[in-house]
Amino acid sequence: MRTQANTTGRPWAIPVAAMVVVATASLLAGPGFGLLPFFTAGPALAAARGTSRTVLGVGAFSAALCLISSVADDHLGNTRTLVALGGIIFVTAAACYVSRVRRQAERDLVDVREVAEAVQDVLVPPLPAQVGPLKLADSYLSATKSARVGGDLSQAVPCEHGVRVMIADVQGKGIEALRTAALVLHTFRDVARGPLGLCEIAARIEEVLATRTDGDRFVTGIIAEARNDGSVDLLNYGHAAPLIRRADGRLELARPAEHALPLGLSGLATPHAPGPAATRVLLAPEERILFYTDGLSEARDDRGEFYPLQDRAGGPLSHSGPDRALRELRADVDHHTGGASDDDSVLLLLQFERVS
């Protein structure tokens, strides 16, 4: 369903109130102050939110108040009144044009947002809420308020023994970063369901980055496989370590056994060097692992201090239900930053349920 441009509410209320204020001030100030030109503000203000019809109505109202004030000041028919009326007519005509241009721009913006949302839904379709004993939830926040598309990405694909997960952050911004994100996501979804191991999946992504991008793009990320027995294997390619919340409330980082270069930079590694070894963590029932991009870990307050993830995330992540836990975590980050965000961020929370 097509979203309409925003013309709801009472777009005439503020211009009319302003004109009443001008008329009252004119009557109180008396004939010597010459406030008649201020009536042109009415149609100018109406152009900010109203349609052309609203602008014309406010312009007529402004002209009527101007004439009433002129009669009260005994200025009807003199040059000051004629100049004020001419100004109202001119500003009303200009405001009608501005209103039409603004409304067309609003319709164009609606179209852009709809396309952006459609692209995002294709790139990152909704995660399955549960795969076997594994519950999943995700949250995406774009630094660009008018769109949800960015270079941060996450995906989860059911596989034979559980679910395979990828979270990543594409270097750069804009269309090229989005194109790279689409290639990475498509490749991961294409091969993650099959028999390939995590290292082989990463090799496929490396190949795509080398052959189908400009060669200057790299991707920090984690490729993981969470199994139905609660074990999770992690391959970390220069990405922030996932955060584990244990059943007793303790938080710990799943740091990689060895550091690896981001995907797309394998050419800088030592020739014939083996890829990173997987790090295995074990989750007990009701324990959670949080994957995130640096838009969370590097969120700053007004003093430039990073969000203290290990110190503050325990409370939000203790809430029942993965979706609510992510909402509470977002709220806590907003409290830390004052609601300001200058980077995209993706959160993906995986919870191991008790097997009945």
Side-chain angles (χ1 to χ4, degrees):
M1 181 176 180
R2 184 182 178 86
T3 305
Q4 298 295 324
N6 181 21
T7 56
T8 58
R10 298 177 178 177
W12 48 265
I14 292 177
V16 167
M19 293 303 90
V20 171
V21 170
V22 172
T24 303
S26 179
L27 291 173
L28 293 177
F33 281 84
L35 298 180
L36 297 183
F38 285 94
F39 285 107
T40 59
L45 289 172
R49 292 184 58 203
T51 63
S52 297
R53 182 177 297 180
T54 301
V55 173
L56 289 171
V58 172
F61 182 69
S62 299
L65 288 181
C66 179
L67 289 172
I68 293 171
S69 297
S70 297
V71 171
D73 293 342
D74 197 25
H75 288 160
L76 185 64
N78 66 13
T79 302
R80 178 182 297 177
T81 300
L82 294 176
V83 169
L85 288 174
I88 291 173
I89 293 172
F90 177 80
V91 171
T92 299
C96 284
Y97 172 75
V98 170
S99 176
R100 290 175 63 87
V101 172
R102 189 206 82 242
R103 283 173 56 78
Q104 182 59 52
E106 288 176 348
R107 286 190 288 267
D108 291 343
L109 180 58
V110 167
D111 291 340
V112 169
R113 286 178 174 172
E114 288 179 348
V115 170
E117 290 177 1
V119 170
Q120 183 71 18
D121 290 339
V122 170
L123 285 180
V124 189
L127 296 181
Q130 186 158 355
V131 178
L134 302 167
K135 280 188 174 182
L136 298 99
D138 68 334
S139 172
Y140 183 91
L141 179 65
S142 174
T144 304
K145 301 304 181 184
S146 60
R148 298 187 296 130
V149 177
D152 290 14
L153 56 96
S154 67
Q155 190 55 256
V157 176
C159 62
E160 182 180 0
H161 301 294
V163 63
R164 284 173 168 172
V165 169
M166 181 175 191
I167 189 163
D169 186 354
V170 177
Q171 172 260 339
K173 302 287 185 181
I175 295 299
E176 284 302 318
L178 178 59
R179 180 174 178 271
T180 303
L183 289 171
V184 171
L185 279 170
H186 175 76
T187 304
F188 176 76
R189 286 200 297 260
D190 190 46
V191 300
R193 297 179 186 271
L196 297 183
L198 297 184
C199 289
E200 293 169 303
I201 293 173
R204 289 288 186 90
I205 295 173
E206 288 272 11
E207 180 182 352
V208 167
L209 290 173
T211 59
R212 299 183 61 185
T213 69
D214 56 15
D216 294 328
R217 297 281 164 179
F218 63 86
V219 179
T220 66
I222 294 175
I223 302 174
E225 180 174 327
R227 300 182 184 86
N228 295 332
D229 61 1
S231 63
V232 184
D233 284 348
L234 305 163
L235 283 182
N236 192 318
Y237 292 88
H239 200 78
L243 183 69
I244 301 172
R245 184 189 183 276
R246 295 300 184 185
D248 59 5
R250 289 182 297 113
L251 298 180
E252 58 186 62
L253 291 173
R255 292 188 171 89
E258 57 182 282
H259 293 280
L261 292 173
L263 296 164
L265 297 181
S266 59
L268 301 179
T270 303
H272 309 297
T279 300
R280 175 165 292 188
V281 298
L282 298 176
L283 299 179
E286 310 307 320
E287 292 187 337
R288 296 168 168 175
I289 181 167
L290 173 71
F291 301 88
Y292 55 92
T293 58
D294 59 10
L296 172 71
S297 57
E298 296 181 3
R300 299 172 184 260
D301 62 13
D302 55 6
R303 295 174 295 179
E305 296 181 359
F306 292 122
Y307 178 72
L309 184 63
Q310 282 189 272
D311 294 334
R312 292 182 55 161
L317 292 181
S318 67
H319 287 279
S320 61
D323 287 307
R324 184 184 175 190
L326 291 186
R327 288 196 300 270
E328 295 294 334
L329 181 57
R330 287 289 190 199
D332 191 55
V333 175
D334 283 345
H335 180 73
H336 175 78
T337 63
S341 175
D342 59 0
D343 197 6
D344 304 328
S345 68
V346 172
L347 310 178
L348 193 156
L349 187 62
L350 188 151
Q351 176 176 314
F352 180 57
E353 294 283 279
R354 188 178 302 278
V355 180
S356 56

